[in-house]
Amino acid sequence: MIHSVRFRLLMAFTLVILVTVGTVFFFINQATQEEIRRFGERIDEMRAARMEAELYSYYARRGNWMGIQAFVEQWGNLYGQRIILTDTNGMVVADSGGQLLGASVAPDVPGTPLRPPRWPTSSIGMLYVTPETSPELDFSSLQVTFNAIGLYFIWGSLVAVAIALLMTFFLSRRILAPVRSLTSAARRLGHGDFSQRVQVKDRSELGELADTFNSMAADLQRTEQLRLNMVADAAHELRTPLSNVKGYLEAIRDGLKEPDAGTIQSLDEEVTLLSRLVDDLQELSLAEAGELTLRCRPEDITGIIERSVAARHPRATAKGISLSADLPDELPRVNVDPDRISQVLRNLLENAVAHTARGGAVSVSAEQQGDWVAVSVTDNGEGIPAEDLPNVFERFYRVDKSRTRATGGSGLGLTIARRLVEVHGGRIEAFSEPGAGSRFTFTIPVAE
């Protein structure tokens, strides 16, 4: 209970209310104390003025201070203050406390010279009034404040806490509803149900969290589907050469076929296909896991392209296809692993030659684009339909589903090419128009 969001909201609201009420009450009490002090000062000034006037009148009638002690004692008892009167020689002629009479002492408090209005330049004595210092002033002001508005603060606090309870109830339901939905969906997602989605119409951070969750769930669902497809496709690709090898071996065992050079060559071809498929799968898994080792160094991209074209030239010539490289005179050196980029070019060239009819043409071009060099492999073959173009880099994807392994490959070449380009920090794109050919372009970084 104490760890729930609802309880924490209630505690937060209650704490804010109490702090607010306490702060307001504190400042009101401080203001009350200040007003009480000012009021006391004004009362003291009025009393002093009254005593001065009466002393002037007394001195004018008597001509001296004889008998003034009774009046001073009466004022002291009435006002609750210590009042001392001295003559012009500094001798105490009246003391409300009755202790300093006849003494020649100067009280600690500042005195007020008594100058009658008729003789403004002459003094008839000094009046000392000890200010009223009540240690209970702060308590009195607090008592006044509490008696005046304390009850309203108490009722206001109770009403505010009640409102906080209602706000906590409704806000927690509104806030926790999408959180509970997310929790439930995440729990089912963790058990393998990748179809989970959360419908949250809130546009706040909770809405963004729900959108992020839905995007994550969609990515997980797609990844899981790709994984299942990969397993199925790998099993399918491995099944055919294994079946051929098994058929050859059974025929040799049953005496239906002699283990001659032709049979051994056929078995070797099937095993080579199996080995290449396994190598491609291993290389792809390393690239996707980020464990593919690159030995990057500044390289001449022109030389890499020319060597790749020369290596594919015999196969293109045998098929009656023109293979060429159209390169500018100067290209900057690039920071790449030459073996991996050669592998990318080999995969793209083999794919272009395989999908270009006799008499067609395949060309390789390159150009600098800022801090990158863009390499393009272009053919005028059959092209790729628009609905298949976004999927050409997926594992085991074939545009023509009827193609065999001999004509269509394993379906991993373009996927590996994309991963190899991406680990270099570049990107690869495909552009095509059915019947007019295709163009595959990838970028690699220029060496510093």
Side-chain angles (χ1 to χ4, degrees):
M1 175 63 181
I2 61 174
H3 297 293
S4 66
V5 175
R6 182 173 296 177
F7 179 79
R8 293 180 181 181
L9 281 174
L10 176 60
M11 290 296 100
F13 283 140
T14 304
L15 181 62
V16 169
I17 290 170
L18 293 178
V19 169
T20 303
V21 171
T23 303
V24 172
F25 189 84
F26 171 78
F27 283 110
I28 290 178
N29 181 57
Q30 291 295 110
T32 303
Q33 289 183 14
E34 185 64 25
E35 288 300 321
I36 290 176
R37 289 192 183 95
R38 292 178 182 176
F39 180 76
E41 292 174 357
R42 290 195 295 269
I43 293 296
D44 290 341
E45 292 175 358
M46 293 173 60
R47 289 173 178 172
R50 183 180 303 166
M51 285 189 291
E52 289 178 16
E54 292 185 4
L55 289 172
Y56 294 152
S57 176
Y58 184 91
Y59 193 86
R61 290 196 308 270
R62 297 291 183 91
N64 55 49
W65 296 116
M66 295 294 294
I68 194 63
Q69 173 65 23
F71 291 95
V72 172
E73 288 182 359
Q74 184 179 3
W75 291 339
N77 294 331
L78 178 63
Y79 299 145
Q81 293 177 302
R82 180 76 177 274
I83 302 172
I84 299 174
L85 177 64
T86 63
D87 59 14
T88 55
N89 297 321
M91 182 179 295
V92 177
V93 295
D95 179 10
S96 62
Q99 300 173 357
L100 301 177
L101 287 173
S104 178
V105 295
D108 296 334
V109 297
T112 302
L114 298 177
R115 292 187 176 90
R118 290 179 295 178
W119 310 303
T121 58
S122 60
S123 174
I124 59 175
M126 292 287 290
L127 177 65
Y128 299 92
V129 179
T130 304
E132 185 179 3
T133 56
S134 174
E136 299 180 352
L137 177 61
D138 292 342
F139 178 77
S140 299
S141 65
L142 179 63
Q143 190 174 19
V144 169
T145 305
F146 183 80
N147 291 336
I149 60 175
L151 191 61
Y152 297 100
F153 270 91
I154 292 176
W155 281 109
S157 300
L158 293 176
V159 171
V161 171
I163 294 174
L165 286 172
L166 294 176
M167 290 178 62
T168 302
F169 178 75
F170 289 107
L171 285 178
S172 61
R173 289 187 60 183
R174 183 179 179 83
I175 294 173
L176 293 179
V179 174
R180 290 195 182 99
S181 299
L182 281 168
T183 303
S184 177
R187 187 177 293 111
R188 290 193 293 268
L189 187 70
H191 287 92
D193 185 3
F194 298 105
S195 64
Q196 291 299 312
R197 300 294 184 274
V198 178
Q199 301 298 328
V200 177
K201 298 180 180 180
D202 197 335
R203 295 186 179 181
S204 65
E205 289 80 358
L206 287 174
E208 294 180 4
L209 178 61
D211 292 339
T212 303
F213 176 86
N214 291 338
S215 177
M216 178 193 68
D219 291 340
L220 288 174
Q221 187 176 26
R222 183 172 179 273
T223 301
E224 178 66 12
Q225 187 60 45
L226 290 175
R227 185 187 68 81
L228 295 175
N229 292 342
M230 182 178 178
V231 172
D233 291 338
H236 174 74
E237 293 295 330
L238 292 170
R239 184 181 295 113
T240 301
L242 285 173
S243 298
N244 292 339
V245 171
K246 183 178 180 181
Y248 276 114
L249 293 176
E250 288 179 350
I252 293 173
R253 184 191 62 191
D254 296 339
L256 300 177
K257 196 169 186 64
E258 294 296 328
D260 52 17
T263 303
I264 293 175
Q265 182 178 358
S266 298
L267 286 171
D268 181 67
E269 290 176 356
E270 296 296 337
V271 171
T272 300
L273 288 173
L274 279 171
S275 178
R276 181 174 178 181
L277 178 59
V278 171
D279 290 341
D280 287 347
L281 286 171
Q282 182 181 17
E283 193 165 74
L284 181 60
S285 65
L286 289 174
E288 292 186 337
E291 299 178 358
L292 194 64
T293 302
L294 296 181
R295 295 179 177 85
C296 294
R297 58 180 181 269
E299 286 288 336
D300 180 15
I301 187 60
T302 301
I304 296 176
I305 294 174
E306 290 176 345
R307 289 192 294 271
S308 298
V309 170
R312 308 279 85 74
H313 201 273
R315 182 178 177 184
T317 301
K319 193 176 177 181
I321 296 173
S322 171
L323 179 59
S324 62
D326 182 16
L327 304 174
D329 294 336
E330 291 186 3
L331 279 174
R333 298 174 73 83
V334 292
N335 186 37
V336 296
D337 184 332
D339 295 333
R340 297 301 185 183
I341 295 302
S342 297
Q343 184 178 357
V344 173
L345 284 167
R346 182 184 72 234
N347 289 346
L348 294 180
L349 288 171
E350 288 181 352
N351 187 69
V353 171
H355 292 83
T356 302
R358 179 175 294 275
V362 176
S363 64
V364 182
S365 61
E367 64 175 353
Q368 183 177 2
Q369 297 177 353
D371 295 333
W372 302 87
V373 170
V375 181
S376 299
V377 176
T378 308
D379 65 71
N380 58 359
E382 60 196 32
I384 304 172
E387 63 272 14
D388 292 315
L389 194 59
N391 303 313
V392 294
F393 294 105
E394 298 297 338
R395 309 179 191 94
F396 300 108
Y397 190 85
R398 292 195 183 95
V399 175
D400 186 354
K401 306 301 187 295
S402 64
R403 284 184 178 271
T404 64
R405 188 184 307 100
T407 58
S410 66
L412 292 176
L414 291 180
T415 307
I416 293 175
R418 181 182 66 176
R419 296 300 184 190
L420 291 177
V421 170
E422 289 176 348
V423 295
H424 279 84
R427 68 178 188 277
I428 186 169
E429 298 175 292
F431 308 91
S432 183
E433 183 178 346
S438 305
R439 175 169 59 89
F440 288 82
T441 301
F442 66 90
T443 57
I444 45 179
V446 173
E448 295 182 358

